[in-house]
Amino acid sequence: MRRNLTFPLFIAGLGVIIALGIAAYRIYLAPVYTQNLDHIKIVHFDGHEEKLHFEKYANQKEVYSLELEIEGKTKSNFTLVISNPDGPVHTASIKGGKKVSFTYVNDWYQDEMELKIVPDPKDKGKLEIHCRFIAF
């Protein structure tokens, strides 16, 4: 008498696929999300230039991307200068007002970043800055 092995083989195959999925998550995906935490800084400016310095966390390996989010309130426009250790990389003019919302995402292969905020000399404002170095 021949036994039907279809169902046990299906269950075994499903178990292997689930085990591979869990292993891939723990080895590859989880470290990317758990190691890429925000650096958060709040800036209160009163018309003076502000310089902020951000560095990757010690447990991060090679950085391949940078995410920068800025929210807050200002009375007028201001300029952002994003620099790596070699010098300025990007400049952006941000429209001020009751609500400021700016996002910057780009390839980044440095372990640090400097952000310079240049407001109008008469401007006052508060910005919350979130910076993430994305690394494996």
Side-chain angles (χ1 to χ4, degrees):
M1 194 184 240
R2 195 167 172 197
R3 227 174 135 194
N4 190 355
L5 297 177
T6 306
F7 186 72
L9 286 175
F10 172 75
I11 296 298
L14 188 60
V16 168
I17 290 171
I18 290 172
L20 288 173
I22 291 171
Y25 173 78
R26 295 184 122 204
I27 294 169
Y28 297 107
L29 294 176
V32 169
Y33 290 104
T34 58
Q35 292 179 7
N36 298 324
L37 303 174
D38 284 12
H39 297 274
I40 301 172
K41 294 189 180 181
I42 296 180
V43 176
H44 297 272
F45 58 84
D46 55 359
H48 292 61
E49 181 179 291
E50 294 279 340
K51 285 187 180 180
L52 303 172
H53 185 80
F54 297 95
E55 290 185 15
K56 73 174 187 174
Y57 287 106
N59 65 341
Q60 290 182 298
K61 295 181 180 156
E62 292 184 37
V63 174
Y64 67 89
S65 183
L66 176 74
E67 295 179 359
L68 185 65
E69 297 175 13
I70 300 174
E71 294 184 355
K73 294 180 182 180
T74 64
K75 292 187 177 185
S76 63
N77 301 346
F78 60 95
T79 301
L80 292 178
V81 180
I82 301 169
S83 303
N84 65 24
D86 299 330
V89 177
H90 296 282
T91 302
S93 295
I94 310 300
K95 184 176 181 179
K98 291 183 180 180
K99 183 176 180 184
V100 173
S101 182
F102 174 78
T103 302
Y104 173 85
V105 178
N106 206 348
D107 290 349
W108 194 266
Y109 302 101
Q110 303 285 333
D111 295 345
E112 55 190 282
M113 186 268 292
E114 184 174 280
L115 181 66
K116 182 166 68 170
I117 302 170
V118 184
D120 182 273
K122 298 177 185 175
D123 195 12
K124 294 188 184 297
K126 176 184 173 186
L127 299 174
E128 184 173 314
I129 299 163
H130 297 257
C131 178
R132 276 182 299 284
F133 292 94
I134 308 299
F136 286 114

